[in-house]
Amino acid sequence: MMEFQIIDADYTLDDGKPVVRLFGRNPDGQSVCCFVPDFEPYFHVQAASIEGLLEDIKEIPEIKRTEIVEKYEPIGYQEHPTTMVKVVVGKPKDVPAIRDEVKRRADRIYETDIMFKNRFMIDRGISGMGWVRTGDEVVILQHGVNSDVVVTSQVSPVEVTKNAPLRYLAFDIECLVDVGMPTPDRSPIIMISLAFRPAYTGETLVLVAKKVEGDGIESFDDETGMLNRFFEIVRDYDPDVILGYNSNEFDFPYITRRVEVLEEQGKKLRADIGRDGRTVFCRKIGNTTRVNVTGRIVADALPLIRREYSIKQYTLKNVAQTLLNIDKFDVSVQQMAEYWNDDGEKLAEFIEYARRDAVLALHLMLDLRLLDKYVALAQVSGALLQDVLDGGQSSMVENLLLREFGKRDRVIPPKPDHGGRYNAPDELKGGAVLEPVRGLLKDAVVLDYKSLYPTIMMAHNLCYSTVIIDSETRVPGVIRAPSGGEFVPAEVYHGIVPGILENLLNRRTETKKMMRSADGEEYRVLNATQNALKILLNSFYGYSGYARARLYSLVLANAVTSFGRK
């Protein structure tokens, strides 16, 4: 039996069957990979004729079996559940493969776009950056995973306040430029600086693609040897968090492309730095780049600082001076060739300049505790930390809703392709905005209503599960919003969202009480937790009026703001 903190999750296939892999670290500092078998992918289907549906889909080869279940539809107060079919398939990829085929033979399909790893964590009550306990473990010898401890076992959630002793690796690259800005097709990487917490062979190291001597330096004959050493260090040090400054937009994509260029030239590189033996995966989404390294967290300090601090310039030099009061020596892009070709003082300065970049990125991330809030958001919402860093608040709200809807036997629809999904008023009317009085006023009073919209939702039992959508529904004590929406009172059916909000509010109150007697690391963890609870508390109203949400209900959103205006 062993406990460990979950850093990442995915799945693999064993003899054609999906097996969940949980990556983490235990209290002794060992990296862990736990294979969890016997969890099957599934989704729900609603049809006018269950018998007809079962007959229509019985020949679909991907379907392993079907089960008749009683479930409540996503939106609206319902006195009785609806008979639906739970469709169990063999592999996670079978769900999207047969989704459209099943949809053509049914009225509605539900939960067909939930990633398999998330489905597992939701159903098992497991959270990103949460702790789990294994059962009867079986040590795996042949697994292809880069972790200290590799086992197969079922797991269950366990409450642990502190974080595991995580490993952090910060890095930065320098490129040789002839003219203009570096491009990976023609500008080689000449240095890679690294900073470690805790230390590796030392606290810092600079890899240099030319022969040079010095403390904290390793030199190589060429770029290929230097890159291979970088990948080797990542595998050997086995960090939980790989970070940099603007690393998602520059360093990671640049390294990935340079590997491709060098391999096209016949060079041999082993770039597998994921804990599963895979390479870095970079994907451009709009104006941002998502970077994935399986089993590890990829954190870019620049966007995190942009979210938390308003400063004039977000260059590393200015950020370090403003937030850390640390000066940074700079070498301009135009000077780099001159410094690189010098074998004396300028080259030494260039190497220290590179080293400083990695050190500053590490200090920014850890000294400013940039990850604390996101770790707490993962633990509270249940989402994986990488998803919290990369995504918005809607994904965290949906994670909470999926968990609570499941407990109430209520299904959730897929995300809509276009716009909303349910009949509702055409527009969302916001809160009351009073015309300001012009001029200079004295003795102004500021009134900030604590958690106004969450309080309204709790007080009036406003929820997707309590809104009356059937005009024939007759219940005592109907709550009528000024906007026109009608909801059943808590005495008839306690809404799912009000229940979630009450739980978050109670947890925040209890957490703030615990902070009074806490200090050090425990205080910081608790403070991050209460902040995360506050963020999630204030996210549910906005989600209800978000047209791209799974649960889009303008009746609910308008009811909240109309009570607020009243």
Side-chain angles (χ1 to χ4, degrees), residues 26 47 59 83 96 100 138 171 210 226 240 267 294 303 364 410 447 511 558:
N26 66 21
E59 300 301 328
T83 301
D100 292 339
V138 176
F171 79 103
K210 67 184 290 186
M226 180 187 65
D240 303 296
K267 307 293 185 181
T294 306
L364 287 168
R410 190 175 283 257
L447 176 62
T511 301
N558 274 322

Side-chain angles (χ1 to χ4, degrees), residues 61-123:
E62 291 86 354
I63 296 177
K64 286 182 61 178
R65 68 177 187 278
T66 56
E67 302 172 14
I68 297 178
V69 295
E70 298 295 316
K71 297 286 181 179
Y72 292 92
E73 295 180 47
I75 302 289
Y77 167 70
Q78 299 146 62
E79 293 182 345
H80 305 288
T82 300
T83 301
M84 299 186 189
V85 175
K86 179 180 180 180
V87 178
V88 181
V89 298
K91 302 173 185 177
K93 290 183 178 179
D94 292 341
V95 174
I98 68 171
R99 174 176 54 206
D100 292 339
E101 185 176 358
V102 173
K103 188 176 181 180
R104 287 194 296 269
R105 309 176 189 196
D107 294 337
R108 292 190 180 94
I109 56 173
Y110 299 106
E111 301 172 3
T112 54
D113 58 351
I114 301 172
M115 295 182 69
F116 183 65
K117 61 182 180 181
N118 294 338
R119 175 86 273 175
F120 168 81
M121 294 177 68
I122 288 165
D123 287 8

Side-chain angles (χ1 to χ4, degrees), residues 35 138-145 150-152:
F35 288 71
V138 176
V139 177
I140 302 176
L141 299 178
Q142 301 296 326
H143 46 69
V145 171
V150 182
V151 299
T152 180

Side-chain angles (χ1 to χ4, degrees), residues 7-79:
I7 293 168
D8 194 17
D10 72 350
Y11 78 92
T12 187
L13 294 177
D14 181 19
D15 195 24
K17 297 179 180 179
V19 179
V20 174
R21 294 189 299 194
L22 300 177
F23 298 92
R25 195 167 289 275
N26 66 21
D28 296 328
Q30 295 174 304
S31 58
V32 176
C33 178
C34 181
F35 288 71
V36 186
D38 303 327
F39 185 77
E40 299 173 311
Y42 66 89
F43 60 97
H44 291 99
V45 185
Q46 183 179 353
S49 170
I50 297 297
E51 293 78 9
L53 173 67
L54 294 174
E55 181 66 25
D56 286 344
I57 66 175
K58 69 179 183 180
E59 300 301 328
I60 298 177
E62 291 86 354
I63 296 177
K64 286 182 61 178
R65 68 177 187 278
T66 56
E67 302 172 14
I68 297 178
V69 295
E70 298 295 316
K71 297 286 181 179
Y72 292 92
E73 295 180 47
I75 302 289
Y77 167 70
Q78 299 146 62
E79 293 182 345

